[in-house]
Structure formats: C-alpha cells, structure tokens
C-alpha cells in the first residue's frame, strides 16, 4: 500500500472518530442546585457556582465593590463599571444580580456580578 493511500485512510479514520466524539447529550441534567439566597451561599460557598439573587445594594465599600443583601444576609459583590452602566441605583433600588461565587482561600466569599438588572 502506498504512503499516499495510508495517509488518506488514516485521515478518514480520524474524521470518523472525531465525528463520533462530537455527539452531545441534550436531555435533562441533575446536579447541585443553585443556592436560593445569600445565607445559603455564606453557609456553603462553592467557587464559580452560578447564582441569581434579588435584593438591594446597601453601600459602596471599595472600587467596584458593594454590599448586597437579599434580606437573609449580606455579601460583598464585585460589579464592574461596564456592568453598572452608569445607572442611578441606591439602597432602595431593587435589583437582580447574576454572577458567580468567588471563594478564595482564607477570604470571605463574594459574588462576581456579570449582569445587573433593575427589578420593579
């Protein structure tokens, strides 16, 4: 068998294997449920866990850092200026935050906010 023919057969075999490797399961998935509130996050912080919470930004505590409360507890949140989008928000403004829990070694957990929405 020629080298050219062997190369073509090898490439064809690789293409078949690659095609089967791209199959994906798209049905329901069970896994750990997202924490329902700030108190649950503080009780068991899981780094990079996705969260969606509603509550209030109580105060600014640093550069792009705020204290958030949903009524169960308070947690520090990190909201980039581009996420804030120059909206006028105070402690009475109800918001929804979407982001991830950040739990670094020896530090209190915080939430890195990706989306900030005003809630009526």
């Amino acid at each position: 068998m020629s080298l050219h023919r062997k190369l073509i057969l090898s490439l064809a075999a690789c293409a078949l294997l690659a095609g089967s490797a791209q199959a994906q399961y798209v049905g329901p998935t069970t896994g750990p449920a997202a924490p329902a509130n700030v108190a649950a996050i503080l009780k068991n912080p899981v780094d990079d866990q996705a969260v969606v919470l509603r509550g209030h930004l109580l105060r600014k505590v640093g550069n792009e850092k705020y204290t958030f409360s949903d009524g169960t507890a308070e947690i520090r949140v990190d909201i980039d200026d581009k996420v804030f989008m120059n909206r006028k928000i105070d402690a009475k403004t109800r918001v929804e935050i979407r982001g991830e829990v950040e739990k670094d070694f020896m530090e209190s957990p915080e939430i890195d906010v990706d989306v900030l929405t005003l809630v009526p």
Side-chain angles (χ1 to χ4, degrees):
M1 187 182 295
S2 74
L3 180 60
H4 182 52
R5 188 168 175 86
K6 285 181 183 178
L7 182 59
I8 291 174
L9 288 175
S10 293
L11 290 173
C14 287
L16 285 174
L17 290 174
S20 64
Q22 291 183 14
Q24 295 180 5
Y25 179 73
V26 294
T29 303
T30 50
N37 57 44
V38 173
I41 293 168
L42 294 173
K43 183 177 179 181
N44 184 30
V46 178
D47 193 40
D48 296 330
Q49 183 172 39
V51 294
V52 177
L53 300 165
R54 288 186 173 193
H56 299 89
L57 297 173
L58 302 179
R59 66 190 77 80
K60 185 171 184 169
V61 294
N63 183 32
E64 299 184 341
K65 304 277 187 183
Y66 302 84
T67 300
F68 173 85
S69 176
D70 65 354
T72 66
E74 294 180 3
I75 192 168
R76 188 177 57 248
V77 296
D78 184 343
I79 307 173
D80 291 341
D81 290 336
K82 65 182 180 190
V83 173
F84 222 98
M85 298 184 350
N86 294 324
R87 290 178 278 193
K88 305 292 184 215
I89 296 175
D90 63 22
K92 296 177 184 175
T93 308
R94 188 164 159 81
V95 296
E96 178 179 272
I97 59 172
R98 293 175 179 266
E100 293 180 344
V101 175
E102 294 298 323
K103 177 61 179 114
D104 294 327
F105 184 68
M106 298 295 290
E107 289 189 25
S108 299
E110 71 176 33
I111 298 174
D112 187 12
V113 177
D114 298 318
V115 177
L116 175 70
T117 307
L118 301 180
V119 178

